[in-house]
Amino acid sequence: MKNLVIANWKCNPSSLKEAKNLFNLIKKQSKDIKKTEIIIVPPFIYLPFLKGLDLGAQDCFWEDKGAFTGEISPLMLKNLSCKYVIIGHSERRKYFNENNEIINKKIKAALRNNLIPILCIGEREEEKKKKKTKKIIREQLENGLKDIKKANLIIAYEPIWAIGTGNFCDFEIAKEIKNIIFETLSKIFNKNNLEKIKIIYGGSVNFKNASDYIKKSEFNGLLVGGASLKSQDFVKIIKSIEKLNNIKFK
Ligand code: PGA
């Protein structure tokens, strides 16, 4: 199983020129990478202009087409050769009121269109303080994946307090959460399907801590926000993951 390194550019950069420039720098500096899968997730409008690395979208609508002003459908993304789609990022949950029910509809729509969903889950700071992390994780998985029996899927554990704060999750704690995610998924999916699901970490990943989430916490990859906007930092993360060979995962 290849490790994944995913760049979530969020609402950046501000021009197509900058987007192409960042993309091409990453592509050039990572041309010798063989064992790590690199996925770039730019804003929708840059997708058709970026070629040569796998692409993902940051969200999608739950219908394929119709009178839904302003929405981007999973079918449109598929037709743009997009392979992945992030669903349920905490910023969408927070600023756009996306709940587990909406997220479930979007996951189903993505799967129906053969896109690989990257389902983001994670607890807020106050939930962590109240020791509700396990409960939140289980609820987000069970409700987000409701009525889905078979899926090519990525789960991203992103504790909300760790996103963009520099306050990344302790490796041991992250490993415990990874195990809870795995256990919860094993109640939803059969063994064959389970083996195909990757569980990744996100939240203040940088080139210093990146490889420990694979080595110590046994994640299958990383979702990188801030550090993916600087090509050198991002490529350092990719290279630190590429160096890790033959790590066995559960
Ligand atoms: P960050 O963002 O790496 O800037 O913390 C991660 C994310 O939101 O996916």
Side-chain angles (χ1 to χ4, degrees):
M1 198 192 250
K2 272 189 176 184
N3 290 314
L4 300 173
V5 181
I6 307 177
N8 176 13
W9 286 0
K10 308 191 182 188
C11 193
N12 301 290
S14 321
S15 71
L16 176 59
K17 195 173 165 211
E18 288 168 280
K20 278 184 178 170
N21 195 27
L22 177 58
F23 186 87
N24 288 333
L25 283 171
I26 294 169
K27 192 165 80 175
K28 198 169 146 206
Q29 291 165 24
S30 61
K31 63 178 188 318
D32 297 328
I33 300 297
K34 302 268 176 313
K35 289 170 258 148
T36 310
E37 207 172 325
I38 305 163
I39 302 163
I40 308 293
V41 186
F44 291 125
I45 55 164
Y46 302 143
L47 283 167
F49 302 99
L50 308 175
K51 307 263 180 245
L53 291 171
D54 282 344
L55 294 174
Q58 296 176 13
D59 179 37
C60 72
F61 189 48
W62 61 75
E63 296 289 345
D64 291 350
K65 59 181 180 174
F68 305 103
T69 303
E71 289 299 328
I72 303 288
S73 84
L75 178 59
M76 293 171 189
L77 295 172
K78 189 67 196 172
N79 288 337
L80 275 183
S81 306
C82 198
K83 265 175 88 171
Y84 300 86
V85 57
I86 295 177
I87 293 178
H89 191 279
S90 61
E91 286 148 17
R92 296 219 52 94
R93 293 181 194 253
K94 182 177 173 190
Y95 300 117
F96 304 96
N97 296 325
E98 290 197 10
N99 56 25
N100 290 329
E101 198 184 323
I102 292 174
I103 288 160
N104 180 248
K105 287 210 266 186
K106 291 188 170 189
I107 300 258
K108 286 176 181 159
L111 292 171
R112 183 171 74 231
N113 285 285
N114 291 319
L115 291 166
I116 302 175
I118 303 163
L119 169 60
C120 296
I121 58 171
E123 79 285 6
R124 292 197 298 263
E125 173 119 57
E126 59 270 29
E127 291 164 338
K128 179 183 172 236
K129 280 189 188 143
K130 289 184 187 156
K131 302 201 183 316
K132 284 187 170 167
T133 303
K134 286 182 194 170
K135 185 175 172 276
I136 298 289
I137 296 294
R138 287 198 185 109
E139 270 171 19
Q140 288 176 336
L141 285 173
E142 282 161 9
N143 297 328
L145 298 172
K146 198 165 175 237
D147 300 326
I148 298 170
K149 293 277 162 291
K150 221 174 130 218
N152 192 3
L153 186 72
I154 297 164
I155 305 292
Y157 171 54
E158 295 206 302
I160 296 169
W161 47 268
I163 296 178
T165 58
N167 184 16
F168 57 90
C169 186
D170 173 89
F171 305 119
E172 272 306 307
I173 295 173
K175 186 178 174 179
E176 273 174 40
I177 309 291
K178 196 229 156 184
N179 290 337
I180 292 165
I181 295 171
F182 187 83
E183 272 166 35
T184 312
L185 291 175
S186 62
K187 288 179 193 140
I188 302 173
F189 297 103
N190 69 27
K191 199 167 167 281
N192 261 352
N193 199 142
L194 196 59
E195 278 167 8
K196 289 183 203 134
I197 300 177
K198 293 184 180 180
I199 307 173
I200 64 173
Y201 171 81
S204 292
V205 171
N206 58 41
F207 61 80
K208 290 187 189 136
N209 62 24
S211 64
D212 279 338
Y213 284 107
I214 313 296
K215 255 189 321 201
K216 296 186 182 162
S217 318
E218 300 180 359
F219 281 91
N220 312 125
L222 300 159
L223 181 53
V224 187
S228 73
L229 294 169
K230 294 184 208 114
S231 67
Q232 282 191 347
D233 285 11
F234 188 58
V235 172
K236 273 194 204 168
I237 293 174
I238 297 167
K239 289 191 173 162
S240 74
I241 302 306
E242 179 80 353
K243 273 196 210 144
L244 303 170
N245 268 332
N246 305 322
I247 302 259
K248 285 216 160 65
F249 300 106
K250 280 186 196 161

